Amino acid sequence: MLGKESTIVIVGAGQGGLQAASSLRDEGYEGRLLLIGDECCSPYQRPPLSKGFLSGDFDAADVILELPEFFVQAEIQHLAGERVTSIDRPTRQLTLASGPAVAYDHLILATGSRNRMLPCQDLDLDGVLSLRTLDDAEALKDRMATAKHVVVVGAGFLGLEVASMAAVRGAEVLIVEATERTMERVVSPEVSQAFRRLHERNGVRFSFSSQVVAIHADAGRVSGVELQDGSRLSADLVLVAIGVVPNTDLAESAGLQVQNGIVVNPVLGTRDVAISAIGDCAAFPYAFDNGQCIRLESVQNAVDQGRCIAERLTGGHGRYDQVPTFWSEQASSRLQIAGVARRDDTAVVRGDPESDKFSVFRYRRGRLVCVESINSPADHMMGRRLLMNKCNPTPLKVAGVSCDLRQLLATA
Amino acid sequence: MANHDYKLIVSVNQDVCVGAGLCVLSTDEVFDQRDEDGVVKLVQNEPPEELYEKVLGAVRKCPSKAIKAEQIPKENKEA
Protein backbone atom coordinates (compact mmCIF):
# COMPACT_ATOMS: atom_id res chain seq x y z
CA MET A 1 0.00 0.00 0.00
CA LEU A 2 1.07 3.52 -0.73
CA GLY A 3 1.47 5.68 2.35
CA LYS A 4 1.77 9.35 3.23
CA GLU A 5 5.24 9.73 1.77
CA SER A 6 4.34 8.34 -1.64
CA THR A 7 3.35 10.02 -4.89
CA ILE A 8 0.72 8.83 -7.33
CA VAL A 9 0.73 10.53 -10.71
CA ILE A 10 -2.20 10.31 -13.10
CA VAL A 11 -1.55 11.22 -16.72
CA GLY A 12 -4.75 12.35 -18.40
CA ALA A 13 -7.36 14.56 -16.76
CA GLY A 14 -10.44 13.24 -18.53
CA GLN A 15 -13.29 11.53 -16.74
CA GLY A 16 -11.27 8.39 -15.92
CA GLY A 17 -8.22 10.21 -14.60
CA LEU A 18 -10.32 12.55 -12.49
CA GLN A 19 -12.35 9.66 -11.09
CA ALA A 20 -9.16 7.81 -10.13
CA ALA A 21 -7.91 10.93 -8.32
CA SER A 22 -11.10 11.60 -6.41
CA SER A 23 -11.64 7.92 -5.58
CA LEU A 24 -8.08 7.68 -4.24
CA ARG A 25 -8.96 10.41 -1.75
CA ASP A 26 -12.34 8.81 -0.97
CA GLU A 27 -10.53 5.54 -0.25
CA GLY A 28 -8.21 7.28 2.19
CA TYR A 29 -5.01 7.70 0.19
CA GLU A 30 -3.01 10.39 2.02
CA GLY A 31 0.07 10.77 -0.14
CA ARG A 32 0.85 13.25 -2.86
CA LEU A 33 -1.51 13.16 -5.84
CA LEU A 34 -0.84 14.73 -9.22
CA LEU A 35 -3.31 14.92 -12.10
CA ILE A 36 -1.69 16.00 -15.35
CA GLY A 37 -3.80 16.97 -18.37
CA ASP A 38 -2.93 18.63 -21.67
CA GLU A 39 -6.13 20.68 -21.80
CA CYS A 40 -6.16 24.05 -20.07
CA CYS A 41 -9.55 24.00 -18.39
CA SER A 42 -10.96 22.03 -15.45
CA PRO A 43 -11.74 18.38 -16.23
CA TYR A 44 -15.05 18.06 -18.05
CA GLN A 45 -17.34 15.39 -19.40
CA ARG A 46 -17.48 14.67 -23.09
CA PRO A 47 -20.83 12.88 -23.65
CA PRO A 48 -22.98 16.05 -23.56
CA LEU A 49 -20.71 17.72 -26.16
CA SER A 50 -22.41 15.84 -29.00
CA LYS A 51 -25.85 16.13 -27.42
CA GLY A 52 -27.27 18.93 -25.23
CA PHE A 53 -24.24 21.14 -25.69
CA LEU A 54 -24.88 21.43 -29.43
CA SER A 55 -28.58 22.09 -28.94
CA GLY A 56 -27.75 24.88 -26.51
CA ASP A 57 -29.33 23.12 -23.50
CA PHE A 58 -25.98 23.22 -21.68
CA ASP A 59 -22.92 25.42 -21.88
CA ALA A 60 -19.28 24.95 -20.92
CA ALA A 61 -19.99 25.55 -17.21
CA ASP A 62 -22.48 22.67 -17.19
CA VAL A 63 -19.98 20.06 -18.37
CA ILE A 64 -17.20 20.87 -15.89
CA LEU A 65 -16.76 17.87 -13.58
CA GLU A 66 -14.96 19.56 -10.71
CA LEU A 67 -14.28 23.21 -9.98
CA PRO A 68 -10.82 24.48 -8.97
CA GLU A 69 -11.86 24.57 -5.26
CA PHE A 70 -12.28 20.79 -5.31
CA PHE A 71 -8.62 20.29 -6.18
CA VAL A 72 -7.56 22.56 -3.34
CA GLN A 73 -9.80 20.85 -0.80
CA ALA A 74 -8.90 17.32 -1.92
CA GLU A 75 -5.20 18.24 -2.14
CA ILE A 76 -4.95 17.10 -5.72
CA GLN A 77 -2.37 19.00 -7.76
CA HIS A 78 -3.97 19.55 -11.14
CA LEU A 79 -1.39 20.45 -13.76
CA ALA A 80 -3.51 21.80 -16.61
CA GLY A 81 -2.18 22.46 -20.10
CA GLU A 82 0.79 20.22 -19.37
CA ARG A 83 2.08 17.25 -21.34
CA VAL A 84 4.19 14.32 -20.29
CA THR A 85 6.89 13.68 -22.85
CA SER A 86 8.52 10.52 -21.48
CA ILE A 87 8.52 7.95 -18.72
CA ASP A 88 11.77 6.69 -17.27
CA ARG A 89 10.73 3.42 -15.67
CA PRO A 90 14.01 2.45 -13.94
CA THR A 91 14.08 5.70 -11.94
CA ARG A 92 10.27 6.06 -11.82
CA GLN A 93 10.28 9.54 -13.25
CA LEU A 94 8.28 11.46 -15.80
CA THR A 95 9.47 14.35 -17.89
CA LEU A 96 7.06 17.22 -18.47
CA ALA A 97 6.94 19.24 -21.68
CA SER A 98 7.58 22.36 -19.60
CA GLY A 99 10.87 20.89 -18.40
CA PRO A 100 10.80 19.48 -14.88
CA ALA A 101 10.95 15.80 -13.96
CA VAL A 102 8.34 14.32 -11.64
CA ALA A 103 9.00 11.24 -9.53
CA TYR A 104 6.23 8.70 -8.93
CA ASP A 105 5.65 5.64 -6.81
CA HIS A 106 2.68 4.66 -8.92
CA LEU A 107 1.70 5.95 -12.33
CA ILE A 108 -1.81 5.72 -13.76
CA LEU A 109 -2.06 6.21 -17.51
CA ALA A 110 -5.47 7.64 -18.41
CA THR A 111 -4.37 9.15 -21.68
CA GLY A 112 -7.65 8.51 -23.51
CA SER A 113 -7.97 8.48 -27.26
CA ARG A 114 -7.88 10.86 -30.18
CA ASN A 115 -10.06 11.11 -33.25
CA ARG A 116 -9.12 9.21 -36.34
CA MET A 117 -8.66 11.36 -39.41
CA LEU A 118 -9.51 10.79 -43.04
CA PRO A 119 -6.44 10.24 -45.25
CA CYS A 120 -7.63 13.15 -47.40
CA GLN A 121 -8.34 15.44 -44.44
CA ASP A 122 -6.67 18.85 -44.48
CA LEU A 123 -6.49 20.21 -40.95
CA ASP A 124 -6.38 23.82 -42.07
CA LEU A 125 -9.46 23.69 -44.22
CA ASP A 126 -12.22 25.91 -42.87
CA GLY A 127 -15.44 23.99 -42.24
CA VAL A 128 -13.96 20.51 -41.79
CA LEU A 129 -14.32 19.62 -38.14
CA SER A 130 -14.04 16.78 -35.70
CA LEU A 131 -15.45 16.58 -32.20
CA ARG A 132 -13.60 15.52 -29.11
CA THR A 133 -12.80 18.51 -26.93
CA LEU A 134 -14.80 21.39 -25.53
CA ASP A 135 -13.05 23.68 -28.02
CA ASP A 136 -14.10 21.36 -30.85
CA ALA A 137 -17.68 21.46 -29.57
CA GLU A 138 -17.69 25.28 -29.41
CA ALA A 139 -16.39 25.46 -32.97
CA LEU A 140 -18.91 22.90 -34.22
CA LYS A 141 -21.79 24.65 -32.49
CA ASP A 142 -20.81 27.94 -34.13
CA ARG A 143 -20.67 26.37 -37.56
CA MET A 144 -23.90 24.46 -37.11
CA ALA A 145 -25.74 27.72 -36.44
CA THR A 146 -25.32 28.73 -40.09
CA ALA A 147 -24.58 25.47 -41.92
CA LYS A 148 -27.07 24.51 -44.61
CA HIS A 149 -25.46 21.41 -46.13
CA VAL A 150 -23.85 19.14 -43.57
CA VAL A 151 -21.92 16.02 -44.49
CA VAL A 152 -21.16 13.70 -41.59
CA VAL A 153 -18.49 11.10 -42.29
CA GLY A 154 -19.16 8.02 -40.17
CA ALA A 155 -22.44 6.59 -38.87
CA GLY A 156 -21.18 5.74 -35.40
CA PHE A 157 -22.59 7.14 -32.13
CA LEU A 158 -20.88 10.50 -32.51
CA GLY A 159 -21.74 11.07 -36.17
CA LEU A 160 -25.37 10.08 -35.66
CA GLU A 161 -25.78 12.24 -32.55
CA VAL A 162 -24.40 15.30 -34.32
CA ALA A 163 -26.44 14.54 -37.45
CA SER A 164 -29.65 14.56 -35.38
CA MET A 165 -28.76 17.93 -33.91
CA ALA A 166 -27.95 19.40 -37.32
CA ALA A 167 -31.22 18.08 -38.77
CA VAL A 168 -33.20 19.62 -35.90
CA ARG A 169 -31.56 22.93 -36.75
CA GLY A 170 -32.93 22.66 -40.25
CA ALA A 171 -29.77 21.75 -42.16
CA GLU A 172 -29.75 19.22 -44.96
CA VAL A 173 -27.74 16.32 -43.56
CA LEU A 174 -26.05 13.46 -45.38
CA ILE A 175 -24.18 10.72 -43.56
CA VAL A 176 -21.45 8.91 -45.50
CA GLU A 177 -20.69 5.52 -43.98
CA ALA A 178 -18.07 3.01 -45.12
CA THR A 179 -20.01 -0.06 -43.98
CA GLU A 180 -23.52 -1.04 -45.01
CA ARG A 181 -25.34 0.06 -41.84
CA THR A 182 -25.35 2.43 -38.85
CA MET A 183 -23.18 1.62 -35.81
CA GLU A 184 -22.08 -1.53 -37.61
CA ARG A 185 -19.23 -2.28 -35.23
CA VAL A 186 -21.34 -2.27 -32.07
CA VAL A 187 -25.02 -3.12 -32.62
CA SER A 188 -27.20 -5.76 -34.26
CA PRO A 189 -28.61 -5.22 -37.78
CA GLU A 190 -32.07 -4.81 -36.21
CA VAL A 191 -30.96 -1.86 -34.08
CA SER A 192 -28.99 -0.38 -37.00
CA GLN A 193 -32.12 -0.53 -39.13
CA ALA A 194 -34.33 1.04 -36.46
CA PHE A 195 -32.00 4.00 -36.08
CA ARG A 196 -31.66 4.40 -39.82
CA ARG A 197 -35.45 4.64 -39.97
CA LEU A 198 -35.59 7.17 -37.10
CA HIS A 199 -32.96 9.38 -38.74
CA GLU A 200 -34.55 9.17 -42.17
CA ARG A 201 -37.85 10.19 -40.64
CA ASN A 202 -36.05 13.35 -39.46
CA GLY A 203 -34.85 14.06 -42.97
CA VAL A 204 -31.30 12.73 -42.61
CA ARG A 205 -30.02 10.88 -45.69
CA PHE A 206 -27.47 8.08 -45.80
CA SER A 207 -24.89 6.91 -48.28
CA PHE A 208 -23.77 3.45 -47.11
CA SER A 209 -20.78 1.44 -48.37
CA SER A 210 -19.37 4.80 -49.34
CA GLN A 211 -16.07 6.51 -48.80
CA VAL A 212 -14.98 10.11 -48.94
CA VAL A 213 -11.91 10.23 -51.18
CA ALA A 214 -11.49 14.00 -51.43
CA ILE A 215 -12.64 17.16 -49.73
CA HIS A 216 -13.08 20.11 -52.05
CA ALA A 217 -12.56 23.70 -51.09
CA ASP A 218 -13.20 27.13 -52.41
CA ALA A 219 -10.81 29.85 -51.21
CA GLY A 220 -9.76 27.79 -48.18
CA ARG A 221 -13.35 26.98 -47.21
CA VAL A 222 -14.93 23.58 -47.65
CA SER A 223 -17.31 23.37 -50.58
CA GLY A 224 -18.01 19.66 -50.80
CA VAL A 225 -16.84 16.09 -50.67
CA GLU A 226 -16.13 13.54 -53.38
CA LEU A 227 -17.06 9.88 -52.94
CA GLN A 228 -15.23 6.85 -54.33
CA ASP A 229 -17.77 6.51 -57.15
CA GLY A 230 -16.87 9.98 -58.36
CA SER A 231 -20.04 11.68 -57.16
CA ARG A 232 -19.69 15.11 -55.59
CA LEU A 233 -21.81 16.44 -52.77
CA SER A 234 -21.82 20.07 -51.79
CA ALA A 235 -21.23 20.87 -48.14
CA ASP A 236 -20.56 23.93 -46.02
CA LEU A 237 -19.78 21.80 -42.97
CA VAL A 238 -18.08 18.40 -42.88
CA LEU A 239 -17.83 16.52 -39.61
CA VAL A 240 -15.35 13.65 -39.57
CA ALA A 241 -16.51 11.07 -37.02
CA ILE A 242 -14.79 7.83 -38.00
CA GLY A 243 -13.73 6.56 -34.62
CA VAL A 244 -10.74 6.99 -32.36
CA VAL A 245 -7.25 5.65 -31.79
CA PRO A 246 -5.98 5.13 -28.24
CA ASN A 247 -3.20 7.41 -27.02
CA THR A 248 -0.48 4.85 -26.41
CA ASP A 249 2.67 6.62 -27.61
CA LEU A 250 3.91 7.41 -24.11
CA ALA A 251 3.45 3.81 -22.95
CA GLU A 252 4.97 2.40 -26.11
CA SER A 253 8.10 4.51 -25.93
CA ALA A 254 8.46 3.44 -22.28
CA GLY A 255 8.58 -0.17 -23.49
CA LEU A 256 5.15 -1.20 -22.20
CA GLN A 257 3.09 -3.70 -24.16
CA VAL A 258 0.68 -2.03 -26.58
CA GLN A 259 -1.87 -3.81 -28.73
CA ASN A 260 -4.94 -1.76 -29.60
CA GLY A 261 -4.38 0.00 -26.27
CA ILE A 262 -2.02 -0.28 -23.35
CA VAL A 263 -2.23 -3.93 -22.35
CA VAL A 264 -3.20 -4.48 -18.70
CA ASN A 265 -4.00 -7.49 -16.51
CA PRO A 266 -7.29 -8.14 -14.63
CA VAL A 267 -6.31 -5.60 -11.96
CA LEU A 268 -5.51 -2.97 -14.64
CA GLY A 269 -1.75 -3.17 -14.11
CA THR A 270 0.81 -3.18 -16.90
CA ARG A 271 3.81 -5.50 -16.73
CA ASP A 272 5.57 -2.77 -14.78
CA VAL A 273 4.09 -3.09 -11.27
CA ALA A 274 4.37 0.67 -10.78
CA ILE A 275 2.23 1.52 -13.83
CA SER A 276 -1.48 0.98 -14.50
CA ALA A 277 -3.76 2.07 -17.32
CA ILE A 278 -7.49 2.86 -17.34
CA GLY A 279 -10.25 4.07 -19.65
CA ASP A 280 -10.16 4.55 -23.42
CA CYS A 281 -6.41 3.89 -23.65
CA ALA A 282 -6.41 0.53 -21.83
CA ALA A 283 -6.81 -2.93 -23.39
CA PHE A 284 -8.00 -5.15 -20.54
CA PRO A 285 -9.09 -8.78 -20.15
CA TYR A 286 -12.87 -8.81 -20.38
CA ALA A 287 -14.26 -10.73 -17.42
CA PHE A 288 -17.38 -11.81 -19.34
CA ASP A 289 -15.53 -13.22 -22.35
CA ASN A 290 -12.92 -15.61 -20.92
CA GLY A 291 -10.48 -12.79 -20.45
CA GLN A 292 -10.41 -11.80 -24.12
CA CYS A 293 -8.62 -8.45 -24.35
CA ILE A 294 -10.89 -5.54 -25.24
CA ARG A 295 -10.75 -1.77 -25.21
CA LEU A 296 -13.86 0.28 -24.55
CA GLU A 297 -14.75 3.91 -25.10
CA SER A 298 -17.37 4.88 -22.55
CA VAL A 299 -17.95 6.94 -19.45
CA GLN A 300 -18.98 3.86 -17.48
CA ASN A 301 -15.72 2.13 -18.34
CA ALA A 302 -13.58 5.19 -17.55
CA VAL A 303 -15.34 5.88 -14.25
CA ASP A 304 -15.50 2.28 -13.03
CA GLN A 305 -11.87 1.59 -13.94
CA GLY A 306 -10.89 4.83 -12.17
CA ARG A 307 -12.66 3.60 -9.03
CA CYS A 308 -11.23 0.12 -9.42
CA ILE A 309 -7.61 1.26 -9.62
CA ALA A 310 -8.12 3.55 -6.61
CA GLU A 311 -9.40 0.58 -4.60
CA ARG A 312 -6.43 -1.56 -5.53
CA LEU A 313 -3.87 1.11 -4.71
CA THR A 314 -5.48 1.54 -1.28
CA GLY A 315 -5.47 -2.15 -0.43
CA GLY A 316 -8.53 -3.56 -2.24
CA HIS A 317 -8.55 -6.60 -4.53
CA GLY A 318 -8.82 -4.36 -7.59
CA ARG A 319 -10.13 -6.93 -10.07
CA TYR A 320 -12.10 -5.16 -12.76
CA ASP A 321 -15.35 -7.00 -13.43
CA GLN A 322 -18.07 -4.47 -14.28
CA VAL A 323 -20.71 -5.00 -16.97
CA PRO A 324 -19.96 -2.43 -19.69
CA THR A 325 -22.77 -0.02 -20.50
CA PHE A 326 -23.18 2.54 -23.28
CA TRP A 327 -25.83 5.01 -24.24
CA SER A 328 -26.61 7.34 -27.07
CA GLU A 329 -29.32 9.90 -27.79
CA GLN A 330 -30.26 10.20 -31.43
CA ALA A 331 -33.32 11.38 -33.31
CA SER A 332 -35.16 11.84 -30.00
CA SER A 333 -34.60 8.19 -29.11
CA ARG A 334 -32.38 6.55 -26.57
CA LEU A 335 -30.12 3.61 -27.21
CA GLN A 336 -28.76 1.76 -24.19
CA ILE A 337 -26.39 -1.18 -24.40
CA ALA A 338 -25.27 -3.57 -21.67
CA GLY A 339 -22.42 -5.96 -22.43
CA VAL A 340 -20.37 -6.26 -25.60
CA ALA A 341 -21.40 -8.16 -28.72
CA ARG A 342 -19.42 -9.15 -31.79
CA ARG A 343 -20.67 -8.88 -35.35
CA ASP A 344 -21.62 -12.53 -35.73
CA ASP A 345 -23.43 -12.91 -32.40
CA THR A 346 -27.03 -14.07 -32.75
CA ALA A 347 -29.77 -11.45 -32.33
CA VAL A 348 -33.00 -12.28 -30.52
CA VAL A 349 -35.59 -9.53 -30.70
CA ARG A 350 -37.85 -8.74 -27.77
CA GLY A 351 -40.74 -6.51 -28.88
CA ASP A 352 -41.55 -5.18 -32.34
CA PRO A 353 -38.43 -4.26 -34.36
CA GLU A 354 -40.57 -2.08 -36.64
CA SER A 355 -41.51 0.07 -33.65
CA ASP A 356 -39.38 2.69 -31.86
CA LYS A 357 -39.23 0.69 -28.66
CA PHE A 358 -37.72 -2.80 -28.50
CA SER A 359 -34.64 -4.68 -27.34
CA VAL A 360 -32.24 -7.12 -28.92
CA PHE A 361 -30.59 -9.83 -26.87
CA ARG A 362 -27.29 -11.02 -28.34
CA TYR A 363 -26.07 -14.58 -27.89
CA ARG A 364 -22.73 -16.21 -28.59
CA ARG A 365 -22.77 -20.00 -28.72
CA GLY A 366 -25.96 -20.02 -26.68
CA ARG A 367 -24.71 -17.59 -24.03
CA LEU A 368 -26.19 -14.12 -23.44
CA VAL A 369 -23.45 -11.51 -24.08
CA CYS A 370 -25.22 -8.22 -24.70
CA VAL A 371 -28.57 -6.44 -24.52
CA GLU A 372 -29.35 -3.50 -26.85
CA SER A 373 -32.42 -1.46 -25.92
CA ILE A 374 -34.20 1.32 -27.78
CA ASN A 375 -36.39 3.47 -25.55
CA SER A 376 -36.67 0.52 -23.15
CA PRO A 377 -34.78 1.39 -19.96
CA ALA A 378 -36.35 -1.45 -17.98
CA ASP A 379 -35.03 -4.04 -20.46
CA HIS A 380 -31.64 -2.35 -20.27
CA MET A 381 -31.52 -2.51 -16.49
CA MET A 382 -32.59 -6.12 -16.56
CA GLY A 383 -29.92 -6.85 -19.18
CA ARG A 384 -27.27 -5.37 -16.91
CA ARG A 385 -28.43 -7.55 -14.03
CA LEU A 386 -28.71 -10.72 -16.10
CA LEU A 387 -25.16 -10.20 -17.36
CA MET A 388 -23.77 -9.28 -13.96
CA ASN A 389 -25.29 -12.41 -12.44
CA LYS A 390 -24.21 -14.51 -15.44
CA CYS A 391 -27.85 -15.51 -16.02
CA ASN A 392 -28.59 -17.10 -19.33
CA PRO A 393 -32.30 -16.93 -20.19
CA THR A 394 -33.22 -18.97 -23.26
CA PRO A 395 -33.83 -17.02 -26.51
CA LEU A 396 -37.37 -18.39 -26.51
CA LYS A 397 -38.06 -16.80 -23.12
CA VAL A 398 -36.59 -13.37 -23.88
CA ALA A 399 -38.43 -13.22 -27.21
CA GLY A 400 -41.76 -13.66 -25.43
CA VAL A 401 -42.78 -10.15 -24.41
CA SER A 402 -45.24 -11.64 -21.96
CA CYS A 403 -42.34 -13.24 -20.12
CA ASP A 404 -41.31 -11.05 -17.17
CA LEU A 405 -37.53 -10.66 -17.27
CA ARG A 406 -37.47 -10.21 -13.52
CA GLN A 407 -38.72 -13.76 -13.18
CA LEU A 408 -35.75 -14.94 -15.25
CA LEU A 409 -33.39 -13.20 -12.89
CA ALA A 410 -35.12 -14.55 -9.81
CA THR A 411 -35.18 -18.14 -11.01
CA ALA A 412 -31.69 -18.21 -12.50
CA MET B 1 -18.18 23.06 6.92
CA ALA B 2 -18.98 26.03 4.72
CA ASN B 3 -22.02 28.03 5.71
CA HIS B 4 -24.23 28.53 2.69
CA ASP B 5 -26.33 31.61 2.13
CA TYR B 6 -28.77 29.64 0.04
CA LYS B 7 -31.01 26.66 0.40
CA LEU B 8 -30.72 23.85 -2.10
CA ILE B 9 -33.83 22.34 -3.71
CA VAL B 10 -33.09 19.24 -5.76
CA SER B 11 -35.21 17.91 -8.61
CA VAL B 12 -34.67 15.17 -11.18
CA ASN B 13 -35.91 14.62 -14.73
CA GLN B 14 -36.64 10.91 -14.93
CA ASP B 15 -37.31 11.13 -18.68
CA VAL B 16 -33.71 11.97 -19.55
CA CYS B 17 -31.93 9.88 -16.88
CA VAL B 18 -29.87 7.03 -18.36
CA GLY B 19 -29.28 5.20 -15.10
CA ALA B 20 -25.52 5.69 -15.00
CA GLY B 21 -25.70 5.85 -11.21
CA LEU B 22 -22.97 8.47 -10.76
CA CYS B 23 -25.29 10.52 -8.51
CA VAL B 24 -25.66 7.60 -6.12
CA LEU B 25 -21.85 7.40 -5.99
CA SER B 26 -21.76 11.10 -5.06
CA THR B 27 -24.27 10.65 -2.25
CA ASP B 28 -26.75 7.87 -1.60
CA GLU B 29 -28.35 10.03 1.08
CA VAL B 30 -30.01 12.12 -1.64
CA PHE B 31 -30.11 9.90 -4.74
CA ASP B 32 -31.25 6.37 -5.37
CA GLN B 33 -32.09 4.36 -8.49
CA ARG B 34 -35.44 2.77 -9.26
CA ASP B 35 -35.16 -0.94 -8.99
CA GLU B 36 -36.91 -1.73 -12.27
CA ASP B 37 -35.01 0.49 -14.69
CA GLY B 38 -32.16 2.17 -12.82
CA VAL B 39 -33.72 5.60 -13.26
CA VAL B 40 -32.85 8.14 -10.58
CA LYS B 41 -35.19 8.78 -7.67
CA LEU B 42 -34.81 11.26 -4.86
CA VAL B 43 -34.38 10.17 -1.27
CA GLN B 44 -34.90 13.79 -0.20
CA ASN B 45 -35.25 17.02 -2.15
CA GLU B 46 -34.11 19.45 0.54
CA PRO B 47 -30.84 17.90 1.69
CA PRO B 48 -28.98 19.18 4.76
CA GLU B 49 -26.16 21.67 4.16
CA GLU B 50 -23.38 19.16 4.81
CA LEU B 51 -24.45 17.35 1.63
CA TYR B 52 -24.54 20.44 -0.62
CA GLU B 53 -21.07 19.91 -2.10
CA LYS B 54 -21.90 16.30 -2.93
CA VAL B 55 -25.25 17.23 -4.45
CA LEU B 56 -23.68 19.95 -6.60
CA GLY B 57 -21.01 17.43 -7.63
CA ALA B 58 -23.76 15.00 -8.67
CA VAL B 59 -25.43 17.74 -10.75
CA ARG B 60 -22.16 18.42 -12.58
CA LYS B 61 -21.28 14.77 -13.12
CA CYS B 62 -24.65 13.51 -14.31
CA PRO B 63 -23.91 12.43 -17.91
CA SER B 64 -27.47 13.07 -19.10
CA LYS B 65 -27.95 16.26 -17.06
CA ALA B 66 -31.03 14.87 -15.36
CA ILE B 67 -30.47 16.58 -11.99
CA LYS B 68 -31.20 20.17 -11.09
CA ALA B 69 -30.30 21.87 -7.82
CA GLU B 70 -31.92 25.24 -7.40
CA GLN B 71 -30.26 27.67 -5.04
CA ILE B 72 -32.90 29.63 -3.14
CA PRO B 73 -31.52 32.64 -1.22
CA LYS B 74 -31.97 32.23 2.52
CA GLU B 75 -33.82 34.81 4.54
CA ASN B 76 -31.32 36.83 6.48
CA LYS B 77 -31.86 35.84 10.10
CA GLU B 78 -29.89 38.77 11.48
CA ALA B 79 -32.04 41.32 9.71
Side-chain angles (χ1 to χ4, degrees), chain B residues 25-76:
Chain B
L25 288 180
S26 290
T27 166
D28 58 9
E29 292 175 67
V30 180
F31 304 102
D32 194 4
Q33 287 174 279
R34 286 201 305 231
D35 195 46
E36 65 272 26
D37 55 11
V39 165
V40 63
K41 62 179 182 185
L42 282 174
V43 177
Q44 49 181 332
N45 70 340
E46 293 184 24
E49 287 201 25
E50 62 266 25
L51 294 176
Y52 280 15
E53 295 307 319
K54 287 178 173 171
V55 169
L56 292 170
V59 172
R60 282 196 303 274
K61 287 170 194 163
C62 174
S64 60
K65 299 285 163 209
I67 308 169
K68 282 205 164 43
E70 209 181 341
Q71 301 184 5
I72 312 282
K74 265 189 197 163
E75 286 164 40
N76 193 338

Side-chain angles (χ1 to χ4, degrees), chain A residues 150-213:
Chain A
V150 178
V151 170
V152 173
V153 189
F157 284 13
L158 186 72
L160 292 169
E161 288 174 1
V162 174
S164 329
M165 292 295 169
V168 167
R169 287 182 164 268
E172 187 179 284
V173 184
L174 177 81
I175 302 180
V176 179
E177 164 60 37
T179 73
E180 72 280 11
R181 57 185 177 92
T182 65
M183 303 175 278
E184 190 260 355
R185 192 168 63 90
V186 288
V187 302
S188 60
E190 288 80 357
V191 168
S192 288
Q193 181 57 29
F195 273 97
R196 175 183 181 164
R197 203 173 51 233
L198 286 164
H199 284 284
E200 284 178 339
R201 202 187 289 165
N202 283 357
V204 172
R205 290 178 305 132
F206 289 93
S207 177
F208 289 106
S209 307
S210 249
Q211 269 147 33
V212 171
V213 292

Side-chain angles (χ1 to χ4, degrees), chain A residues 45 62 66 334 384-385, chain B residues 15 17 19 60-61 65:
Chain A
Q45 48 177 325
D62 294 316
E66 293 290 2
R334 179 183 304 163
R384 273 201 232 176
R385 295 205 177 120
Chain B
D15 291 337
C17 171
R60 282 196 303 274
K61 287 170 194 163
K65 299 285 163 209

Side-chain angles (χ1 to χ4, degrees), chain A residues 15 18-19 22 45 47-48 58 61-67 73 299 303-304 307 327 329 334 336 377-382 384-385 406, chain B residues 2 13-22 25 33-39 53-54 56-66 68:
Chain A
Q15 195 143 13
L18 176 71
Q19 186 65 50
S22 74
Q45 48 177 325
F58 322 122
D62 294 316
V63 298
I64 298 297
L65 286 164
E66 293 290 2
L67 302 169
Q73 277 166 15
V299 167
V303 167
D304 285 342
R307 293 168 59 210
W327 106 98
E329 302 279 347
R334 179 183 304 163
Q336 287 172 288
D379 281 3
H380 170 71
M381 190 37 114
M382 201 42 61
R384 273 201 232 176
R385 295 205 177 120
R406 281 172 295 185
Chain B
N13 182 348
Q14 293 179 323
D15 291 337
V16 303
C17 171
V18 294
L22 296 181
L25 288 180
Q33 287 174 279
R34 286 201 305 231
D35 195 46
E36 65 272 26
D37 55 11
V39 165
E53 295 307 319
K54 287 178 173 171
L56 292 170
V59 172
R60 282 196 303 274
K61 287 170 194 163
C62 174
S64 60
K65 299 285 163 209
K68 282 205 164 43

